[in-house]
Amino acid sequence: MGGSSSYSCVVESATWFCVVVLMGMVMMMGSMSRVDDGAIVIKGEKLGERRVCDEIYVVGEGETLHTISEKCGDPFIVERNPHIHDPDDVFPGLVIKIIQQQHK
């Protein structure tokens, strides 16, 4: 009978694990929504598309320092971001500091 008790413990642990994972997924989906064009929005922003040049800027897919500099009006991105060692090595998700010089 000891095996049956051990089996029940494993099943109960697995059930709780599944409940926790499911709750995490539900919470994540609660912060996401779909817009008319099918893009996923998190906290009001389309993923992969950033239109606002905030002081803290997250590089999007296909962006370069040159395109960000033109869009945001900050010609000194490399100087303001000492963690960028190679201006050609920019990737989506990279966080950079922007100071807008002009409005576009």
Side-chain angles (χ1 to χ4, degrees), residues 28 31-35 39-47:
M28 230 169 57
S31 67
M32 300 170 75
S33 62
R34 290 204 170 265
V35 292
I40 293 177
V41 175
I42 296 180
K43 296 183 182 175
E45 266 184 48
K46 289 184 181 180
L47 291 178

Side-chain angles (χ1 to χ4, degrees), residues 19-88:
V19 167
V20 170
V21 169
L22 183 60
M23 288 184 67
M25 291 174 63
V26 168
M27 289 175 62
M28 230 169 57
M29 293 303 291
S31 67
M32 300 170 75
S33 62
R34 290 204 170 265
V35 292
D36 294 338
D37 63 359
I40 293 177
V41 175
I42 296 180
K43 296 183 182 175
E45 266 184 48
K46 289 184 181 180
L47 291 178
E49 182 178 326
R50 183 152 180 127
R51 297 177 185 264
V52 180
C53 295
D54 296 329
E55 185 176 343
I56 302 300
Y57 188 90
V58 180
V59 176
E61 186 73 36
E63 290 186 304
T64 65
L65 291 183
H66 180 73
T67 61
I68 296 168
S69 176
E70 284 184 344
K71 178 169 59 172
C72 297
D74 185 354
F76 303 106
I77 294 174
V78 175
E79 290 82 1
R80 294 186 213 290
N81 294 277
H83 62 283
I84 299 176
H85 301 290
D86 181 0
D88 296 324

